Amino acid sequence: MMFQSILLLAFVGYGSAAAIDRRQATSTISQSSHVPDYFDTTLGWFAGPTPTGDAPILAQTNAAPFPGVSYIPNAPLETQVPIIGNSNNNNIFQLLGNLSPYFPNPRGFGVSEYPLPPGSNVSWVNMISRHGSRYPTISSGPQVLGQKIYNATGKFNATGPLSFLNTWKYGLGAEILVPIGKQELFDSGTLHYYQYGHLYTSNGSKIVARTTTQNRMLQSAEYFLAGFFGLGWTQNATLEVTIEQLGYNNTLDGYYKCANANTGVSAGGTNATAVWIGTYLAAATKRMQGMTSGNLNWTVSDTYNAQNLCAYETVSLGFSHWCSLFTYEEWQGFEYSLDLTFAGSFGFQSPTGRAIGIGYVQEVLARMQHHVITSSTAQVNVTLDNNTITFPVDQTLNFDFSHDANIMAILTAFGLTQFNKFLPPTHMVERELIVSYLEPFAGRLDIEVIKTPQPVNSDRSAASPYVSGGPTSYVHFILNQRTIPLGLSFEECGMRDDGWCEMESFLKVMEKQVELANYDYACNGNYAPVPYGNITNGAPL
Ligand SMILES: *[C@@H]1O[C@H](CO)[C@@H](O)[C@H](O)[C@H]1NC(C)=O
Ligand SMILES: *[C@@H]1O[C@H](CO)[C@@H](O)[C@H](O)[C@H]1NC(C)=O
Ligand SMILES: *[C@@H]1O[C@H](CO)[C@@H](O)[C@H](O)[C@H]1NC(C)=O
Ligand SMILES: *[C@@H]1O[C@H](CO)[C@@H](O)[C@H](O)[C@H]1NC(C)=O
Ligand SMILES: *[C@@H]1O[C@H](CO)[C@@H](O)[C@H](O)[C@H]1NC(C)=O
Ligand SMILES: *[C@@H]1O[C@H](CO)[C@@H](O)[C@H](O)[C@H]1NC(C)=O
Ligand SMILES: *[C@@H]1O[C@H](CO)[C@@H](O)[C@H](O)[C@H]1NC(C)=O
Ligand SMILES: *[C@@H]1O[C@H](CO)[C@@H](O)[C@H](O)[C@H]1NC(C)=O
Ligand SMILES: *[C@@H]1O[C@H](CO)[C@@H](O)[C@H](O)[C@H]1NC(C)=O
Ligand SMILES: *[C@@H]1O[C@H](CO)[C@@H](O)[C@H](O)[C@H]1NC(C)=O
Ligand SMILES: *[C@@H]1O[C@H](CO)[C@@H](O)[C@H](O)[C@H]1NC(C)=O
């Protein structure tokens, strides 16, 4: 349970606070008349906790320039902090798993990117984006360490690199976006306008974009739309705000409808992470203990929380003293700790990995084939999806907003087995599943449909881009601006150089994925937890 609480995923804190939100919202609703509640962005219901934190004063707190490092202005975060063992001048802020501020995956997913052959066009796109950088979950690890230090005030002294702790205090808010989180979504909206602006038919018909009621989710969508359309975006898009709450049907937080996603059977990832933390942070914990005297009993979970604090303070306040306490290898270990969590709780090592994401996959397939959804075997909300006002089926631009865990499960539900490798909790291995490449803050999966006058040669170095045949459609997956090669996971797609998959083949392999999720049993079945590592296909054994 200890390590559960360290996670920043959406599960913590939904209980009584949400019930209160709901009562308040009910009275708000009666005053609001003109639009249905799911199109009203002002209700504030099911928003989750919204405490803000200390205002930054980076001009005062920034320790740069650092000894031996040439001065580079902060942009806006201070990321030049010297790290022991960082021989290649790598950036530890790209080793923070789901706490990494947005960056495009630098190494790709196994294929190169190719331009569209002349005469072809991108005709449709479906984006699912994570919210931006945020404060930690209320009462989670960072706050626990903050409270512990506060409780020990006057009872301990810290020395050496830890001496900042003698005057440090916890000053973070909870749950809501931090400043750079807003920028990340605005930038993503701007980027997406460059990528896809032409697909917007400005003929007076607005597109519907979807997000959830949670404060950071709603704001992420709004900042994105402002980046895409400008401040007048409400003339161009209607935001559909779906209820984020345990028990509701919602594909943007698919774990809330999936009972087993929130119990021990799906805790293999956090259990594996706990094992790994005991190993990779043993030396650091001894170091911390050596730098504190008096009555502060420094434990290995304090060390892990301290790494989390580096990540959160950096995005919240611009700079954190906690970051330079750890070696480069310990930051690699931190990334791995999050990779384990995601693999074991929302990926192919989880019995509910596929089930959590499958409703969203069904929605993408429905949009691609231009039909509504009339019945739900998963977490689809049919009231909304059996209606073209709330589930338009002819939009060329489809924008949705969601959470890290949910998008990980969606990648699993699509059946992207390139991310299915077993990750041992004892040591780090080479792998495709690197959470900072998959789900950094503001991470986004773009699915394109590409139309071509003839089939495109799978050998993209061939002299002629096309082979003989008629007009063809392709599906192209892009995660954080890099192509996911569909042929690596689906034989039917072929080993194309460009990673695309011919659309009919894609739709055919997707039918199988829906069955593989085994939604009802995975989510509602009564089965025992199996040890982390026994499950390899994102569904119960
Ligand atoms: C800090 O002290 C408060 C009040 O005594 C106590 O409730 C809380 O559990 C302590 N927290 C930690 C992390 O030590
Ligand atoms: C901390 O250091 C100060 C000054 O060096 C000393 O007066 C105090 O007793 C120390 N406190 C503890 C708890 O060791
Ligand atoms: C605007 O374009 C959309 C998408 O092509 C179409 O469905 C809609 O009917 C058009 N609306 C008007 C008013 O022309
Ligand atoms: C948004 O809609 C307004 C009003 O129809 C239009 O003037 C504007 O060009 C649209 N914005 C974009 C980016 O197309
Ligand atoms: C479906 O969504 C509507 C609109 O937000 C909501 O009122 C309804 O409770 C949802 N249904 C379920 C089963 O979650
Ligand atoms: C994870 O650990 C908890 C606590 O020990 C246990 O209840 C749960 O069954 C474990 N789950 C798995 C999948 O190992
Ligand atoms: C320090 O913490 C550990 C782990 O929580 C605990 O087992 C131990 O009893 C504590 N020691 C003291 C002196 O409080
Ligand atoms: C879906 O919508 C259609 C058309 O409005 C309606 O006839 C049908 O009963 C609806 N189905 C469900 C399951 O709500
Ligand atoms: C909600 O999902 C369940 C299946 O998980 C389904 O039985 C029910 O009809 C759905 N309700 C709505 C309103 O979509
Ligand atoms: C896109 O490409 C298809 C196939 O080549 C073609 O039929 C269609 O007219 C093109 N659309 C646009 C807007 O260029
Ligand atoms: C897990 O896998 C191990 C090794 O293959 C096997 O011995 C064990 O029976 C499995 N446990 C369950 C619950 O499937």
Side-chain angles (χ1 to χ4, degrees):
M1 258 354 257
M2 164 113 258
F3 291 105
Q4 285 279 39
S5 74
I6 289 166
L7 287 179
L8 358 131
L9 310 165
F11 307 139
V12 194
Y14 49 66
S16 55
I20 292 164
D21 285 353
R22 192 175 176 195
R23 275 198 298 279
Q24 288 167 343
T26 310
S27 56
T28 318
I29 280 273
S30 58
Q31 290 154 12
S32 159
S33 48
H34 303 299
V35 288
D37 55 56
Y38 46 78
F39 283 157
D40 192 333
T41 57
T42 66
L43 294 176
W45 67 348
F46 304 106
T50 56
T52 195
D54 290 349
I57 175 104
L58 192 51
Q60 177 182 312
T61 56
N62 194 347
F66 301 96
V69 179
S70 53
Y71 182 72
I72 300 172
N74 52 304
L77 307 179
E78 180 52 74
T79 58
Q80 304 299 316
V81 190
I83 300 295
I84 292 164
N86 183 5
S87 48
N88 292 319
N89 207 20
N90 291 322
N91 183 351
I92 63 146
F93 299 94
Q94 300 183 350
L95 288 172
L96 303 181
N98 57 328
L99 306 186
S100 302
Y102 181 74
F103 68 107
N105 169 353
R107 76 168 187 195
F109 289 108
V111 282
S112 304
E113 281 69 20
Y114 290 86
L116 259 61
S120 299
N121 54 50
V122 174
S123 64
W124 182 92
V125 71
N126 185 101
M127 177 196 77
I128 182 152
S129 170
R130 188 185 174 206
H131 58 74
S133 295
R134 53 165 291 193
Y135 288 122
T137 297
I138 214 155
S139 303
S140 67
Q143 198 178 350
V144 169
L145 181 55
Q147 186 69 50
K148 180 170 175 172
I149 303 290
Y150 177 80
N151 285 5
T153 306
K155 298 178 193 152
F156 77 97
N157 279 324
T159 56
L162 200 56
S163 53
F164 73 88
L165 203 53
N166 293 321
T167 53
W168 177 87
K169 79 185 204 342
Y170 184 78
L172 304 182
E175 313 272 353
I176 59 176
L177 292 180
V178 295
I180 190 133
K182 303 169 185 175
Q183 185 186 349
E184 286 164 337
L185 268 294
F186 186 85
D187 284 353
S188 177
T190 306
L191 176 79
H192 279 82
Y193 190 72
Y194 278 109
Q195 296 290 105
Y196 304 112
H198 193 71
L199 294 181
Y200 175 69
T201 32
S202 66
N203 61 358
S205 83
K206 294 190 198 181
I207 62 162
V208 172
R210 302 188 307 171
T211 189
T212 80
T213 49
Q214 203 181 63
N215 184 283
R216 69 175 176 278
M217 294 296 305
L218 180 54
Q219 288 207 1
S220 289
E222 290 174 332
Y223 280 108
F224 177 94
L225 292 169
F228 193 96
F229 291 110
L231 291 176
W233 65 265
T234 53
Q235 295 177 288
N236 313 97
T238 301
L239 198 49
E240 184 169 314
V241 192
T242 57
I243 296 170
E244 175 159 354
Q245 174 72 354
L246 200 67
Y248 280 83
N249 292 32
N250 194 336
T251 58
L252 303 179
D253 49 49
Y255 32 77
Y256 274 154
K257 183 70 183 173
C258 180
N260 286 334
N262 308 303
T263 67
V265 299
S266 299
T270 42
N271 292 358
T273 299
V275 172
W276 171 237
I277 289 172
T279 303
Y280 90 94
L281 287 178
T285 302
K286 284 223 174 69
R287 238 173 26 243
M288 301 301 154
Q289 287 165 346
M291 289 187 270
T292 52
S293 63
N295 195 3
L296 185 67
N297 183 11
W298 192 280
T299 66
V300 71
S301 50
D302 293 332
T303 314
Y304 193 59
N305 291 339
Q307 285 196 306
N308 276 275
L309 267 171
C310 157
Y312 279 116
E313 282 193 337
T314 300
V315 294
S316 304
L317 303 170
F319 170 70
S320 173
H321 284 287
W322 295 100
C323 304
S324 55
L325 291 173
F326 299 95
T327 65
Y328 189 73
E329 198 182 349
E330 286 159 356
W331 286 115
Q332 291 176 307
F334 185 71
E335 169 70 54
Y336 195 66
S337 76
L338 293 159
D339 303 347
L340 287 169
T341 297
F342 275 63
S345 296
F346 314 106
F348 286 94
Q349 273 73 38
S350 165
T352 51
R354 285 175 181 266
I356 295 169
I358 198 65
Y360 188 79
V361 169
Q362 290 174 308
E363 289 183 328
V364 172
L365 300 178
R367 282 172 175 165
M368 264 184 187
Q369 298 170 96
H370 310 291
H371 64 71
V372 295
I373 298 179
T374 54
S375 75
S376 173
T377 50
Q379 54 282 88
V380 167
N381 183 324
V382 173
T383 309
L384 295 171
D385 284 13
N386 182 31
N387 184 333
T388 53
I389 307 289
T390 42
F391 191 72
V393 295
D394 289 320
Q395 279 185 183
T396 50
L397 285 174
N398 300 278
F399 297 138
D400 292 323
F401 299 85
S402 182
H403 294 274
D404 50 8
N406 201 54
I407 302 176
M408 182 71 219
I410 288 166
L411 298 172
T412 309
F414 271 119
L416 299 174
T417 53
Q418 83 175 98
F419 303 116
N420 73 358
K421 179 169 166 178
F422 169 68
L423 310 181
T426 46
H427 60 282
M428 292 189 267
V429 293
E430 283 298 311
R431 62 207 183 275
E432 283 287 308
L433 198 172
I434 293 179
V435 172
S436 60
Y437 293 174
L438 269 52
E439 287 310 315
F441 285 126
R444 70 298 296 248
L445 172 68
D446 290 296
I447 301 172
E448 295 175 347
V449 170
I450 297 170
K451 295 204 161 181
T452 66
Q454 286 172 260
V456 175
N457 202 327
S458 65
D459 173 3
R460 297 297 301 270
S461 63
S464 164
Y466 294 114
V467 297
S468 62
T472 307
S473 295
Y474 294 92
V475 177
H476 181 202
F477 272 49
I478 304 143
L479 183 58
N480 302 326
Q481 303 177 254
R482 302 303 298 266
T483 294
I484 294 186
L486 294 172
L488 264 190
S489 299
F490 311 119
E491 211 180 308
E492 295 86 339
C493 297
M495 289 305 284
R496 298 184 57 84
D497 286 352
D498 52 24
W500 305 354
C501 185
E502 188 273 313
M503 191 157 154
E504 294 305 314
S505 310
F506 177 81
L507 293 174
K508 206 170 291 164
V509 291
M510 282 303 127
E511 283 168 24
K512 281 185 235 156
Q513 308 306 317
V514 174
E515 289 164 30
L516 286 172
N518 199 2
Y519 179 88
D520 192 41
Y521 182 65
C523 291
N524 305 313
N526 182 12
Y527 52 90
V530 300
Y532 168 76
N534 280 44
I535 291 172
T536 55
N537 197 27
L541 289 179

